[in-house]
Amino acid sequence: MSNILVKIDGRELEAREGMTILEAAKEVGVAIPTLCHYEKLEAYGGCRLCTVEAEVRGRTKLVAACLYPVEKDLVVITRSEKVDKIRKMILELLLAHAPVARELQGLAQEYGADKDRFRKESSFCIHCGLCVRYCAEIKKKEAIGFVDRGTTREISFIPEIASQECVNCKECFPLCPTEALQAAFVLTQALSFPASSFESSE
Amino acid sequence: MDKDRIDQIIDKYEGKASSLIQVLMDIQEENHWLPREVLKKVSEKLGVSFRQVLRIATMYKTFSLVPQESHETHLCAHGKMSPTDAIKKYKIEKLVERINSASDLEELREGILSKRDSQKPCIAICNGNGCSHRNHGIIKAFEEELRKHSLEAKVEIRATGCHGFCEKGPFVVIYPEEICYVEVTPEDVPEIMSQTLVEKKVIERLVYTDPNTGEKIVRQSEIPYYKDQTLFLLGNNPKINPKSIHDYLAFGGYSALAKALFEMTPEQVLEEIKKANLRGRGGGGFPAGSKWETTRNAPGEVKYVIVNGHEGEPGAFMDRALLTGNPHSVLEGLIIGAYAIGSQQGFIYTRHDTPELLENIHLALSQAEEYGLLGKNILGSGFDFNVEVHLDIGIFVSGESSALMRSIEGKAPEPKPKYVRTSVSGIWDKPSNLNNVETWANVPLIINKGSEWYRSIGTEGSKGTKLLSLFGNVCNTGVVEVPFGTPLKEIVFGLGGGIPNGKKLKAIHFGGAMGGSLPARLIDSPLDFDGLAKLQAQIGAGALMVLDEDTCMVELNKSFLQFLTEESCGKCVPCREGVRQMLNILTDITEGRGKEGDIELLEEIAEVVGEAALCSLGRTSADPLLSMLKYFRDELEAHIKEKRCPALSCKHLKGGVR
């Protein structure tokens, strides 16, 4: 197999087949911000914060670093006016939901994002899916899932499973980029009012 | 709901995990809602986690998790039949044995034609989707009248697919004279019987009157609406009963399949499609031949071909007209494609809410199989190919190619985030070639008449014809088929008959919530994939909405965004949040809270959504807005700066009184 030579922010690297840009960048010490990524879980591609510029065969495109596989002669730029603009907007959109989240605030400072740009709809959850995927992929309990669709998509604990599994676990909470406020709320709701949490999806 | 009944439903699908959506649909239909205990039972029996069952049950709006008293069921508009019942009911044509060669097929065709008396009177009644409920009364009335006149054996009644000219429907066409009556009601039927069928007289009041000349036009094909179209795909709709494979065979059906199987190699078929430059009709306009080739060359023995009959674009109804009215034409294209690609399993993914459509698809499949045109050893060629039907149950995003494929796998229809094309890794990670209904229907045409002929129709980059559904502020609502290159003016003012109530044309909008609006001044532009894309108005699947001067473009864009907030999957931030905020801003603007900087903010969000969203739905969700900013910016500015709606439509703003 031929070597996959890639260049990330000017740093060259011989990458392995199947690696993503995010993994390759880490090897050469280039940090790409993420919100929905966790190494032990399958890449998700939901937050799009890791968007970078990738040049392949003379064409530059914007791709999600957590999913885009390295290929021969790939040139990646992880910070540019365009990339920063996208990240700033994504952060502003999310800060409308979780204005006090520390992780978001830190990133907002880095990218000059204004937390008050959009009207607040504080639901705390930014739908990164880390809790949902951790519970399914690592714990194999599937006590929490997404319900509904579009802008009404929400996380929801399944009362029957949560009452058995969650009280002594809550391992998903520390993964949450918004301090698990919404998760704590919906878990409490699921345990206290199992029926209502079920119908709230309607 | 009875536990045994749930078991029965699950057993019907052999307990396959991939049948989850179908199982939930059957339960919803019978029980009108999905009780939690039932969902748990389904989860256990199918071996799918409760979380995933809930995900799907809450994602589709067809499903209800709370009891519904008078649930407005999307599933059975009128006495929906199960596929097997439909097959039993319409199994009218008895076949002695299956067809085993190309010459057998020709022999059968000759047999059918020789038994047909071209002089035998036939009453053809349009009975397309959405109309079949209403038009059923007319068909019944004709049956009754035939009995009264003891003419059952002498006159044929043919319920056909959509004739396209919906504005003037229901249509009744009496052959062999081709006497065409419009806007027929069941009350007109006795008169048609006694006057036209018995006494051979034309009833003047039921004949189409040309609104421009006042002329009465008796023959259907001479009505300008039909005369001015190029009906390659829809031409047979008024002539055939879609439930009869014999009708399709009588008009040369499956001759292209025989030609492909016995006179061409798969490579030659592929080459022909590539040479014809057939482009995908679903929205993207991607060359079908290249896509086929990618799937053909992708590693792996198992490959899939799929008909995308989702047709979720608001206002689009042309694919339904074609698939319901002439299902074999789409199926024939699919089988030819499968042969070229090297696939032995096909899927038809279509709507659940149109019973006539489903019935016709299932019948077409069972008839084709019975005749040896589908299944094992097709026409004795050694080529095997099967087709399964899968249903969308109500979410727009499931028309997106990778979401559609996940739905076929029985999973929640979320677009696949990976950077691998579905033509290489699609359903169950196998190479999967997806084309839209109309694209597949073009295939037999190209094989029969050749790529040379096909290339002679259309423009430099867009070949053949295009189906469009015309709706909105236009006199003639309906489905039309025109060659690429036709000036839009001819479509809107010629076929469409112009704008009703003496109003002026303001804009035409292509492609629904992911399309674009063209102002009236560009109405001379030709219908062309690339030309219109350059003008920021992608053809999309072909829904063409005509907008008169009273339309507020801001309101229109608001409604598109509203649609997307409910019809996207909600997974990625740019789409879910970007659409939410664009809608918030437009809502503010239409309610008098617009402010300086709103336009720039909209532009910024639109740019990010267009570049960073996960799937094509997200990336094109701001396209209508961008076309508004390009052509109707002053209108938006009037809303913001002067708090005025130039179309006098927004009721919170100055002049908004209507």
Side-chain angles (χ1 to χ4, degrees), chain B residues 320-361:
Chain B
R320 253 162 284 186
L322 178 58
L323 192 51
T324 315
N326 197 348
H328 285 287
S329 68
V330 179
L331 180 59
E332 186 180 359
L334 180 71
I335 307 169
I336 296 170
Y339 171 70
I341 289 164
S343 161
Q344 294 179 349
Q345 181 63 55
F347 297 94
I348 296 177
Y349 189 79
T350 190
R351 309 180 64 85
H352 74 281
D353 56 359
T354 34
E356 199 69 23
L357 169 72
L358 285 180
E359 226 171 81
N360 292 3
I361 293 173

Side-chain angles (χ1 to χ4, degrees), chain B residues 80 110 122 210 237 259 373 475 494 518 533 579 584 654 657:
Chain B
K80 180 181 170 258
E110 277 160 29
C122 169
D210 188 323
N237 266 29
K259 184 178 175 186
L373 296 158
C475 289
L518 279 187
V579 167
N584 279 348
K654 270 182 232 164
V657 285

